[in-house]
PDB file of all heavy atoms in Angstrom:
ATOM      1  N   VAL A   1      98.939  75.061 106.681  1.00 98.00           N
ATOM      2  CA  VAL A   1      98.907  76.144 107.665  1.00 98.00           C
ATOM      3  C   VAL A   1     100.020  77.111 107.307  1.00 98.00           C
ATOM      4  O   VAL A   1     101.180  76.695 107.149  1.00 98.00           O
ATOM      5  CB  VAL A   1      99.114  75.611 109.097  1.00 98.00           C
ATOM      6  CG1 VAL A   1      99.297  76.762 110.073  1.00 98.00           C
ATOM      7  CG2 VAL A   1      97.933  74.771 109.536  1.00 98.00           C
ATOM      8  N   LEU A   2      99.667  78.378 107.158  1.00 98.00           N
ATOM      9  CA  LEU A   2     100.663  79.384 106.797  1.00 98.00           C
ATOM     10  C   LEU A   2     100.552  80.583 107.734  1.00 98.00           C
ATOM     11  O   LEU A   2      99.460  80.908 108.219  1.00 98.00           O
ATOM     12  CB  LEU A   2     100.469  79.876 105.358  1.00 98.00           C
ATOM     13  CG  LEU A   2     100.496  78.826 104.249  1.00 98.00           C
ATOM     14  CD1 LEU A   2      99.079  78.444 103.847  1.00 98.00           C
ATOM     15  CD2 LEU A   2     101.253  79.343 103.030  1.00 98.00           C
ATOM     16  N   ARG A   3     101.689  81.218 107.987  1.00 98.00           N
ATOM     17  CA  ARG A   3     101.689  82.519 108.641  1.00 98.00           C
ATOM     18  C   ARG A   3     102.622  83.427 107.873  1.00 98.00           C
ATOM     19  O   ARG A   3     103.771  83.076 107.592  1.00 98.00           O
ATOM     20  CB  ARG A   3     102.102  82.450 110.100  1.00 98.00           C
ATOM     21  CG  ARG A   3     101.975  83.818 110.808  1.00 98.00           C
ATOM     22  CD  ARG A   3     101.994  83.696 112.316  1.00 98.00           C
ATOM     23  NE  ARG A   3     101.928  84.985 112.989  1.00 98.00           N
ATOM     24  CZ  ARG A   3     100.809  85.657 113.271  1.00 98.00           C
ATOM     25  NH1 ARG A   3      99.631  85.162 112.890  1.00 98.00           N
ATOM     26  NH2 ARG A   3     100.836  86.816 113.896  1.00 98.00           N
ATOM     27  N   SER A   4     102.107  84.588 107.526  1.00 97.00           N
ATOM     28  CA  SER A   4     102.862  85.602 106.816  1.00 97.00           C
ATOM     29  C   SER A   4     103.182  86.708 107.812  1.00 97.00           C
ATOM     30  O   SER A   4     102.262  87.270 108.423  1.00 97.00           O
ATOM     31  CB  SER A   4     102.028  86.146 105.653  1.00 97.00           C
ATOM     32  OG  SER A   4     102.681  87.220 105.020  1.00 97.00           O
ATOM     33  N   GLY A   5     104.471  86.984 108.037  1.00 97.00           N
ATOM     34  CA  GLY A   5     104.830  87.941 109.074  1.00 97.00           C
ATOM     35  C   GLY A   5     105.968  88.856 108.686  1.00 97.00           C
ATOM     36  O   GLY A   5     106.656  88.644 107.681  1.00 97.00           O
ATOM     37  N   LYS A   6     106.164  89.877 109.511  1.00 96.00           N
ATOM     38  CA  LYS A   6     107.193  90.894 109.280  1.00 96.00           C
ATOM     39  C   LYS A   6     108.161  90.932 110.463  1.00 96.00           C
ATOM     40  O   LYS A   6     107.771  90.748 111.616  1.00 96.00           O
ATOM     41  CB  LYS A   6     106.545  92.273 109.136  1.00 96.00           C
ATOM     42  CG  LYS A   6     105.551  92.410 107.990  1.00 96.00           C
ATOM     43  CD  LYS A   6     106.250  92.615 106.670  1.00 96.00           C
ATOM     44  CE  LYS A   6     105.252  92.975 105.570  1.00 96.00           C
ATOM     45  NZ  LYS A   6     105.933  93.197 104.272  1.00 96.00           N
ATOM     46  N   THR A   7     109.431  91.227 110.154  1.00 97.00           N
ATOM     47  CA  THR A   7     110.427  91.499 111.194  1.00 97.00           C
ATOM     48  C   THR A   7     111.230  92.723 110.791  1.00 97.00           C
ATOM     49  O   THR A   7     111.133  93.206 109.653  1.00 97.00           O
ATOM     50  CB  THR A   7     111.387  90.318 111.405  1.00 97.00           C
ATOM     51  OG1 THR A   7     112.118  90.090 110.187  1.00 97.00           O
ATOM     52  CG2 THR A   7     110.634  89.056 111.801  1.00 97.00           C
ATOM     53  N   GLY A   8     112.056  93.181 111.730  1.00 97.00           N
ATOM     54  CA  GLY A   8     112.872  94.361 111.473  1.00 97.00           C
ATOM     55  C   GLY A   8     112.311  95.590 112.170  1.00 97.00           C
ATOM     56  O   GLY A   8     111.121  95.651 112.513  1.00 97.00           O
ATOM     57  N   TRP A   9     113.192  96.586 112.405  1.00 98.00           N
ATOM     58  CA  TRP A   9     112.776  97.792 113.142  1.00 98.00           C
ATOM     59  C   TRP A   9     111.619  98.495 112.462  1.00 98.00           C
ATOM     60  O   TRP A   9     110.688  98.979 113.112  1.00 98.00           O
ATOM     61  CB  TRP A   9     113.979  98.730 113.263  1.00 98.00           C
ATOM     62  CG  TRP A   9     113.753  99.820 114.278  1.00 98.00           C
ATOM     63  CD1 TRP A   9     113.519 101.134 114.017  1.00 98.00           C
ATOM     64  CD2 TRP A   9     113.743  99.673 115.697  1.00 98.00           C
ATOM     65  NE1 TRP A   9     113.356 101.820 115.184  1.00 98.00           N
ATOM     66  CE2 TRP A   9     113.495 100.944 116.252  1.00 98.00           C
ATOM     67  CE3 TRP A   9     113.921  98.589 116.559  1.00 98.00           C
ATOM     68  CZ2 TRP A   9     113.416 101.175 117.623  1.00 98.00           C
ATOM     69  CZ3 TRP A   9     113.844  98.812 117.915  1.00 98.00           C
ATOM     70  CH2 TRP A   9     113.590 100.085 118.436  1.00 98.00           C
ATOM     71  N   GLU A  10     111.661  98.538 111.150  1.00 97.00           N
ATOM     72  CA  GLU A  10     110.582  99.158 110.376  1.00 97.00           C
ATOM     73  C   GLU A  10     109.721  98.106 109.679  1.00 97.00           C
ATOM     74  O   GLU A  10     109.023  98.421 108.710  1.00 97.00           O
ATOM     75  CB  GLU A  10     111.165 100.120 109.331  1.00 97.00           C
ATOM     76  CG  GLU A  10     112.003 101.252 109.905  1.00 97.00           C
ATOM     77  CD  GLU A  10     111.174 102.223 110.737  1.00 97.00           C
ATOM     78  OE1 GLU A  10     109.949 102.271 110.528  1.00 97.00           O
ATOM     79  OE2 GLU A  10     111.775 102.916 111.600  1.00 97.00           O
ATOM     80  N   LYS A  11     109.796  96.879 110.150  1.00 95.00           N
ATOM     81  CA  LYS A  11     109.037  95.761 109.561  1.00 95.00           C
ATOM     82  C   LYS A  11     109.338  95.633 108.067  1.00 95.00           C
ATOM     83  O   LYS A  11     108.463  95.436 107.235  1.00 95.00           O
ATOM     84  CB  LYS A  11     107.536  95.941 109.781  1.00 95.00           C
ATOM     85  CG  LYS A  11     107.138  96.073 111.247  1.00 95.00           C
ATOM     86  CD  LYS A  11     105.649  96.298 111.393  1.00 95.00           C
ATOM     87  CE  LYS A  11     105.285  96.590 112.842  1.00 95.00           C
ATOM     88  NZ  LYS A  11     103.856  96.919 112.992  1.00 95.00           N
ATOM     89  N   GLU A  12     110.640  95.757 107.761  1.00 96.00           N
ATOM     90  CA  GLU A  12     111.030  95.803 106.354  1.00 96.00           C
ATOM     91  C   GLU A  12     111.235  94.433 105.727  1.00 96.00           C
ATOM     92  O   GLU A  12     111.343  94.326 104.496  1.00 96.00           O
ATOM     93  CB  GLU A  12     112.315  96.638 106.189  1.00 96.00           C
ATOM     94  CG  GLU A  12     113.551  96.062 106.891  1.00 96.00           C
ATOM     95  CD  GLU A  12     113.728  96.567 108.333  1.00 96.00           C
ATOM     96  OE1 GLU A  12     112.717  96.959 108.947  1.00 96.00           O
ATOM     97  OE2 GLU A  12     114.862  96.542 108.811  1.00 96.00           O
ATOM     98  N   ASN A  13     111.271  93.370 106.537  1.00 97.00           N
ATOM     99  CA  ASN A  13     111.518  92.031 105.996  1.00 97.00           C
ATOM    100  C   ASN A  13     110.304  91.128 106.198  1.00 97.00           C
ATOM    101  O   ASN A  13     109.692  91.109 107.267  1.00 97.00           O
ATOM    102  CB  ASN A  13     112.746  91.411 106.661  1.00 97.00           C
ATOM    103  CG  ASN A  13     114.019  92.143 106.286  1.00 97.00           C
ATOM    104  OD1 ASN A  13     114.277  92.361 105.108  1.00 97.00           O
ATOM    105  ND2 ASN A  13     114.807  92.539 107.277  1.00 97.00           N
ATOM    106  N   SER A  14     109.991  90.373 105.142  1.00 96.00           N
ATOM    107  CA  SER A  14     108.807  89.509 105.157  1.00 96.00           C
ATOM    108  C   SER A  14     109.230  88.046 105.247  1.00 96.00           C
ATOM    109  O   SER A  14     110.282  87.650 104.730  1.00 96.00           O
ATOM    110  CB  SER A  14     107.984  89.711 103.880  1.00 96.00           C
ATOM    111  OG  SER A  14     107.518  91.041 103.794  1.00 96.00           O
ATOM    112  N   HIS A  15     108.360  87.238 105.891  1.00 97.00           N
ATOM    113  CA  HIS A  15     108.635  85.820 106.069  1.00 97.00           C
ATOM    114  C   HIS A  15     107.342  85.033 105.917  1.00 97.00           C
ATOM    115  O   HIS A  15     106.265  85.503 106.284  1.00 97.00           O
ATOM    116  CB  HIS A  15     109.219  85.544 107.464  1.00 97.00           C
ATOM    117  CG  HIS A  15     110.348  86.444 107.831  1.00 97.00           C
ATOM    118  ND1 HIS A  15     111.649  86.192 107.485  1.00 97.00           N
ATOM    119  CD2 HIS A  15     110.365  87.626 108.518  1.00 97.00           C
ATOM    120  CE1 HIS A  15     112.427  87.159 107.945  1.00 97.00           C
ATOM    121  NE2 HIS A  15     111.667  88.042 108.573  1.00 97.00           N
ATOM    122  N   ILE A  16     107.483  83.829 105.383  1.00 98.00           N
ATOM    123  CA  ILE A  16     106.347  82.906 105.271  1.00 98.00           C
ATOM    124  C   ILE A  16     106.717  81.602 105.975  1.00 98.00           C
ATOM    125  O   ILE A  16     107.759  81.011 105.681  1.00 98.00           O
ATOM    126  CB  ILE A  16     105.993  82.599 103.803  1.00 98.00           C
ATOM    127  CG1 ILE A  16     105.670  83.877 103.023  1.00 98.00           C
ATOM    128  CG2 ILE A  16     104.830  81.591 103.743  1.00 98.00           C
ATOM    129  CD1 ILE A  16     104.349  84.513 103.377  1.00 98.00           C
ATOM    130  N   ILE A  17     105.883  81.190 106.894  1.00 98.00           N
ATOM    131  CA  ILE A  17     106.001  79.855 107.495  1.00 98.00           C
ATOM    132  C   ILE A  17     104.890  79.009 106.901  1.00 98.00           C
ATOM    133  O   ILE A  17     103.725  79.425 106.905  1.00 98.00           O
ATOM    134  CB  ILE A  17     105.852  79.911 109.027  1.00 98.00           C
ATOM    135  CG1 ILE A  17     106.968  80.760 109.653  1.00 98.00           C
ATOM    136  CG2 ILE A  17     105.851  78.504 109.619  1.00 98.00           C
ATOM    137  CD1 ILE A  17     106.788  81.000 111.138  1.00 98.00           C
ATOM    138  N   GLU A  18     105.230  77.834 106.375  1.00 98.00           N
ATOM    139  CA  GLU A  18     104.217  76.953 105.795  1.00 98.00           C
ATOM    140  C   GLU A  18     104.435  75.521 106.262  1.00 98.00           C
ATOM    141  O   GLU A  18     105.555  75.013 106.246  1.00 98.00           O
ATOM    142  CB  GLU A  18     104.249  76.996 104.269  1.00 98.00           C
ATOM    143  CG  GLU A  18     103.221  76.062 103.632  1.00 98.00           C
ATOM    144  CD  GLU A  18     103.125  76.205 102.111  1.00 98.00           C
ATOM    145  OE1 GLU A  18     103.661  77.192 101.558  1.00 98.00           O
ATOM    146  OE2 GLU A  18     102.523  75.312 101.487  1.00 98.00           O
ATOM    147  N   TYR A  19     103.343  74.899 106.672  1.00 98.00           N
ATOM    148  CA  TYR A  19     103.350  73.496 107.076  1.00 98.00           C
ATOM    149  C   TYR A  19     102.230  72.816 106.301  1.00 98.00           C
ATOM    150  O   TYR A  19     101.123  73.361 106.206  1.00 98.00           O
ATOM    151  CB  TYR A  19     103.082  73.385 108.580  1.00 98.00           C
ATOM    152  CG  TYR A  19     102.987  71.984 109.120  1.00 98.00           C
ATOM    153  CD1 TYR A  19     104.127  71.228 109.366  1.00 98.00           C
ATOM    154  CD2 TYR A  19     101.754  71.411 109.406  1.00 98.00           C
ATOM    155  CE1 TYR A  19     104.043  69.944 109.885  1.00 98.00           C
ATOM    156  CE2 TYR A  19     101.658  70.123 109.925  1.00 98.00           C
ATOM    157  CZ  TYR A  19     102.807  69.397 110.161  1.00 98.00           C
ATOM    158  OH  TYR A  19     102.719  68.135 110.662  1.00 98.00           O
ATOM    159  N   SER A  20     102.512  71.651 105.729  1.00 98.00           N
ATOM    160  CA  SER A  20     101.487  71.003 104.914  1.00 98.00           C
ATOM    161  C   SER A  20     101.434  69.508 105.189  1.00 98.00           C
ATOM    162  O   SER A  20     102.412  68.904 105.636  1.00 98.00           O
ATOM    163  CB  SER A  20     101.740  71.238 103.420  1.00 98.00           C
ATOM    164  OG  SER A  20     102.911  70.567 102.993  1.00 98.00           O
ATOM    165  N   LEU A  21     100.269  68.936 104.930  1.00 98.00           N
ATOM    166  CA  LEU A  21     100.047  67.501 105.039  1.00 98.00           C
ATOM    167  C   LEU A  21      99.308  67.016 103.806  1.00 98.00           C
ATOM    168  O   LEU A  21      98.416  67.698 103.302  1.00 98.00           O
ATOM    169  CB  LEU A  21      99.189  67.174 106.269  1.00 98.00           C
ATOM    170  CG  LEU A  21      99.801  67.427 107.646  1.00 98.00           C
ATOM    171  CD1 LEU A  21      98.744  67.235 108.722  1.00 98.00           C
ATOM    172  CD2 LEU A  21     100.976  66.500 107.886  1.00 98.00           C
ATOM    173  N   LYS A  22      99.682  65.839 103.320  1.00 97.00           N
ATOM    174  CA  LYS A  22      98.967  65.170 102.236  1.00 97.00           C
ATOM    175  C   LYS A  22      98.754  63.732 102.672  1.00 97.00           C
ATOM    176  O   LYS A  22      99.710  62.961 102.764  1.00 97.00           O
ATOM    177  CB  LYS A  22      99.760  65.235 100.928  1.00 97.00           C
ATOM    178  CG  LYS A  22      99.002  64.667  99.736  1.00 97.00           C
ATOM    179  CD  LYS A  22      99.788  64.819  98.449  1.00 97.00           C
ATOM    180  CE  LYS A  22      99.015  64.261  97.262  1.00 97.00           C
ATOM    181  NZ  LYS A  22      99.778  64.369  95.992  1.00 97.00           N
ATOM    182  N   LEU A  23      97.501  63.368 102.939  1.00 97.00           N
ATOM    183  CA  LEU A  23      97.196  62.119 103.618  1.00 97.00           C
ATOM    184  C   LEU A  23      96.364  61.195 102.744  1.00 97.00           C
ATOM    185  O   LEU A  23      95.305  61.587 102.261  1.00 97.00           O
ATOM    186  CB  LEU A  23      96.417  62.413 104.915  1.00 97.00           C
ATOM    187  CG  LEU A  23      96.953  63.549 105.784  1.00 97.00           C
ATOM    188  CD1 LEU A  23      96.014  63.802 106.940  1.00 97.00           C
ATOM    189  CD2 LEU A  23      98.355  63.231 106.269  1.00 97.00           C
ATOM    190  N   ASP A  24      96.825  59.966 102.571  1.00 97.00           N
ATOM    191  CA  ASP A  24      96.023  58.955 101.875  1.00 97.00           C
ATOM    192  C   ASP A  24      94.812  58.549 102.712  1.00 97.00           C
ATOM    193  O   ASP A  24      93.751  58.237 102.176  1.00 97.00           O
ATOM    194  CB  ASP A  24      96.863  57.701 101.603  1.00 97.00           C
ATOM    195  CG  ASP A  24      97.607  57.781 100.283  1.00 97.00           C
ATOM    196  OD1 ASP A  24      97.409  58.767  99.546  1.00 97.00           O
ATOM    197  OD2 ASP A  24      98.385  56.858 100.003  1.00 97.00           O
ATOM    198  N   SER A  25      94.985  58.522 104.041  1.00 96.00           N
ATOM    199  CA  SER A  25      93.905  58.099 104.928  1.00 96.00           C
ATOM    200  C   SER A  25      93.842  59.029 106.127  1.00 96.00           C
ATOM    201  O   SER A  25      94.705  58.975 107.010  1.00 96.00           O
ATOM    202  CB  SER A  25      94.114  56.659 105.399  1.00 96.00           C
ATOM    203  OG  SER A  25      93.198  56.343 106.433  1.00 96.00           O
ATOM    204  N   ASN A  26      92.829  59.863 106.159  1.00 95.00           N
ATOM    205  CA  ASN A  26      92.613  60.780 107.277  1.00 95.00           C
ATOM    206  C   ASN A  26      92.551  60.025 108.612  1.00 95.00           C
ATOM    207  O   ASN A  26      93.291  60.337 109.548  1.00 95.00           O
ATOM    208  CB  ASN A  26      91.339  61.586 106.992  1.00 95.00           C
ATOM    209  CG  ASN A  26      90.968  62.555 108.090  1.00 95.00           C
ATOM    210  OD1 ASN A  26      91.613  62.642 109.119  1.00 95.00           O
ATOM    211  ND2 ASN A  26      89.901  63.299 107.868  1.00 95.00           N
ATOM    212  N   PRO A  27      91.678  58.986 108.746  1.00 95.00           N
ATOM    213  CA  PRO A  27      91.588  58.332 110.053  1.00 95.00           C
ATOM    214  C   PRO A  27      92.862  57.604 110.463  1.00 95.00           C
ATOM    215  O   PRO A  27      93.204  57.578 111.649  1.00 95.00           O
ATOM    216  CB  PRO A  27      90.415  57.354 109.900  1.00 95.00           C
ATOM    217  CG  PRO A  27      90.203  57.197 108.438  1.00 95.00           C
ATOM    218  CD  PRO A  27      90.636  58.483 107.820  1.00 95.00           C
ATOM    219  N   GLU A  28      93.598  57.010 109.520  1.00 97.00           N
ATOM    220  CA  GLU A  28      94.823  56.311 109.895  1.00 97.00           C
ATOM    221  C   GLU A  28      95.911  57.282 110.340  1.00 97.00           C
ATOM    222  O   GLU A  28      96.665  57.001 111.283  1.00 97.00           O
ATOM    223  CB  GLU A  28      95.317  55.436 108.745  1.00 97.00           C
ATOM    224  CG  GLU A  28      94.461  54.195 108.535  1.00 97.00           C
ATOM    225  CD  GLU A  28      95.015  53.266 107.464  1.00 97.00           C
ATOM    226  OE1 GLU A  28      96.153  53.507 106.986  1.00 97.00           O
ATOM    227  OE2 GLU A  28      94.316  52.313 107.100  1.00 97.00           O
ATOM    228  N   PHE A  29      96.007  58.436 109.686  1.00 97.00           N
ATOM    229  CA  PHE A  29      96.991  59.427 110.120  1.00 97.00           C
ATOM    230  C   PHE A  29      96.598  59.998 111.479  1.00 97.00           C
ATOM    231  O   PHE A  29      97.435  60.122 112.379  1.00 97.00           O
ATOM    232  CB  PHE A  29      97.113  60.551 109.090  1.00 97.00           C
ATOM    233  CG  PHE A  29      98.180  61.552 109.437  1.00 97.00           C
ATOM    234  CD1 PHE A  29      99.509  61.313 109.118  1.00 97.00           C
ATOM    235  CD2 PHE A  29      97.868  62.729 110.105  1.00 97.00           C
ATOM    236  CE1 PHE A  29     100.505  62.223 109.449  1.00 97.00           C
ATOM    237  CE2 PHE A  29      98.847  63.646 110.449  1.00 97.00           C
ATOM    238  CZ  PHE A  29     100.171  63.395 110.119  1.00 97.00           C
ATOM    239  N   THR A  30      95.322  60.332 111.643  1.00 96.00           N
ATOM    240  CA  THR A  30      94.849  60.832 112.932  1.00 96.00           C
ATOM    241  C   THR A  30      95.154  59.825 114.035  1.00 96.00           C
ATOM    242  O   THR A  30      95.600  60.185 115.135  1.00 96.00           O
ATOM    243  CB  THR A  30      93.337  61.116 112.866  1.00 96.00           C
ATOM    244  OG1 THR A  30      93.088  62.117 111.875  1.00 96.00           O
ATOM    245  CG2 THR A  30      92.795  61.594 114.210  1.00 96.00           C
TER     246      THR A  30
END
């Protein structure tokens, strides 16, 4: 899951938020 966003008065700065999962077993993690 990622979000690419801007901050600053003129939106001059960029940021990336990233969250990731790598699962051996989908049902066991769920």
Side-chain angles (χ1 to χ4, degrees):
V1 171
L2 303 99
R3 185 164 178 85
S4 174
K6 300 280 189 179
T7 62
W9 194 253
E10 301 294 338
K11 303 178 187 175
E12 63 270 25
N13 293 309
S14 298
H15 311 274
I16 302 288
I17 298 173
E18 179 173 347
Y19 177 78
S20 68
L21 293 172
K22 185 177 181 181
L23 315 175
D24 272 356
S25 170
N26 178 358
E28 287 185 8
F29 184 83
T30 299

